[in-house]
Every structure is written in C-alpha cells, then in structure tokens.
Amino acid sequence: MKRGILVVEDNQLNRELLRDWLEVEGYEVWSAADLRTSYEVFAKRIPDAVLLDINLGKDHGLDLLAWMRQKPETREIPVIAVTAHALVAEQERILEAGCGACLSKPVDFQLLREELDRWLPDSKTSQINS
C-alpha cells in the first residue's frame, strides 16, 4: 500500500510541483492550502508524513504542528518543514518546534528524497532519480 503524504502549502504552483514529484516517487498525496483544509484532511485520513510550509498566508504552519503533537494518533507523524526562510536561527526554531527536518525553497528534491527515506524507511519509493 502506498504511503500517504499531506502537503500543506499556500502557493498553488509549489503545491502542484510537490504533489507531482511525490506521486512519481510512488506516494499518495493529499494537499491543503491552509490550516482549515489540513484539519479537514486529518479528519478523513491520517497521513504517514507531512510536508509543511511554515508561512501559510494568514496562518502559521507551526500551529498545525502544535495541534498534531497534542493528539496521540498524530503525535509521531514526521513533519518536514519547507520554507523560504533559510536563516539558521529560523531553521533552529522550526526544528525545536518538532519538525524532523527543514528544507529551503526552492526544494532540492534529492534532499527531500533523503529526508523521506529517513523518516519513512520502509516506504516503497520509485527508482526514478531526479
């Protein structure tokens, strides 16, 4: 069975780019443009991992992370932050908040593949190299 990944990203082009790449890699992908939509996804299914944009327009991505960490069924789900803020201090704050990794935009898909392999070690990703 395919592993499911929730992409929370307010930029439609970035969301589609991540979705397309993840689907080629063999994942089932759900996407949300804001916190409200991501909560709706969680109400229907629990993803195996979350790719989380930190700045979601009026929303802050770390609010979703805090919400996830409060619930037993979502507490252990790996969250990989995807952010335009590459400052070391910002990355440290994101990691301290509980993200497993912090990747800068534009996303380096080789690094993303390595993080997904690290956090979802038994996932069956394709052999396609980008």
Side-chain angles (χ1 to χ4, degrees):
M1 189 162 114
K2 285 185 179 184
R3 303 298 291 270
I5 297 182
L6 171 60
V7 175
V8 183
E9 165 65 66
D10 64 335
N11 180 288
Q12 182 178 349
L13 188 60
N14 289 341
R15 200 167 53 244
E16 289 173 1
L17 185 65
L18 286 166
R19 171 190 284 277
D20 291 348
W21 183 84
L22 289 164
E23 286 176 346
V24 167
E25 289 290 305
Y27 294 99
E28 186 172 352
V29 183
W30 308 293
S31 60
D34 54 34
L35 292 182
R36 181 186 56 78
T37 310
S38 41
Y39 297 137
E40 291 171 4
V41 171
F42 274 99
K44 295 175 189 164
R45 64 187 67 86
I46 303 293
D48 295 295
V50 176
L51 296 184
L52 180 62
D53 183 16
I54 299 303
N55 296 303
L56 297 167
K58 63 180 177 48
D59 296 331
H60 197 286
L62 294 181
D63 291 343
L64 176 66
L65 180 64
W67 175 84
M68 288 173 62
R69 296 305 182 236
Q70 292 173 3
K71 301 185 168 308
E73 65 274 17
T74 59
R75 184 175 294 139
E76 301 299 321
I77 295 173
V79 176
I80 298 171
V82 180
T83 182
H85 298 284
L87 299 175
V88 172
E90 178 76 359
Q91 287 187 354
E92 287 175 2
R93 186 175 69 82
I94 290 166
L95 295 173
E96 286 172 6
C99 287
C102 184
L103 301 179
S104 297
K105 293 179 187 173
V107 174
D108 177 330
F109 288 105
Q110 182 60 42
L111 287 177
L112 178 55
R113 179 184 292 121
E114 290 170 11
E115 289 299 335
L116 289 170
D117 288 346
R118 177 175 155 211
W119 292 104
L120 301 174
D122 57 345
S123 65
K124 300 291 184 225
T125 57
S126 73
Q127 300 304 308
I128 298 171
N129 293 315
S130 57

